[in-house]
Amino acid sequence: AQTATPELPEGVALLRAVRAARHPGYDRLVFEFEGSAPQIDVRYVDQVVEDPTGDPVPLRGEEFLSVVFHGATLDTTPQVLDSRQARRYTGPQRLAPGYPVLKEVAVAGDFESVLSFGVGLEYRSEPQVRRLTAPVRLVIDFPHRTPPTHS
């Protein structure tokens, strides 16, 4: 007998996957969610800190990006009455692809429906953020530096 997958609580996005890929000219980071699309805040920081403790999150790289999803979680236990109905992200908490720009990604917090990640980069790259649907994905592309051209 198959058991039905519990429904997600209203207004909550559950992280399903984090993927990184290297492409010609850019590195890509993809966060895939189930449920509603969370709001995203992406910004450079001097140091990534864990939410809510404030402890530093060690990351490879020279530049650091904070990626915060509002209305997202790794675990729906706090949002459900019966913990047997909870759903959880079961993937890695840290990825270290070591690409030209994208060096490392790590969970930096999951507190009160605010899910945060730290991203370690080799150098400051202008992140290009896009939302995709079916499934809900937030894609961040990090363009590679273009070598200087001499005339």
Side-chain angles (χ1 to χ4, degrees):
Q2 261 189 318
T3 56
T5 303
E7 290 293 312
L8 285 176
E10 188 67 34
V12 172
L14 176 66
L15 184 70
R16 300 295 299 150
V18 178
R19 295 185 294 275
R22 181 178 175 182
H23 295 277
Y26 64 96
D27 297 341
R28 173 168 284 172
L29 181 57
V30 178
F31 297 91
E32 184 177 316
F33 290 92
E34 186 178 332
S36 54
Q39 294 301 310
I40 183 173
D41 176 33
V42 178
R43 61 188 165 85
Y44 277 97
V45 294
D46 292 332
Q47 180 179 49
V48 175
V49 294
E50 190 178 321
D51 179 26
T53 66
D55 293 337
V57 176
L59 290 164
R60 294 179 193 152
E62 300 299 319
E63 295 285 342
F64 305 101
L65 205 62
S66 166
V67 179
V68 179
F69 299 102
H70 299 273
T73 188
L74 299 175
D75 183 349
T76 64
T77 301
Q79 289 95 356
V80 296
L81 295 173
D82 182 349
S83 63
R84 293 171 301 182
Q85 295 296 306
R87 305 267 304 280
R88 292 171 188 84
Y89 166 73
T90 56
Q93 301 277 314
R94 185 177 285 269
L95 295 174
Y99 295 148
V101 183
L102 182 59
K103 295 303 178 188
E104 192 168 20
V105 182
V107 172
D110 182 10
F111 185 67
E112 295 182 348
S113 297
V114 176
L115 178 59
S116 51
F117 284 84
V119 179
L121 303 171
E122 182 64 25
Y123 51 83
R124 195 171 279 238
S125 173
E126 199 55 49
Q128 297 163 357
V129 181
R130 289 182 302 144
R131 296 172 174 277
L132 301 173
T133 56
V136 172
R137 285 158 305 184
L138 290 146
V139 177
I140 307 173
D141 289 337
F142 300 98
H144 296 166
R145 278 190 181 139
T146 51
T149 55
H150 301 285
S151 50

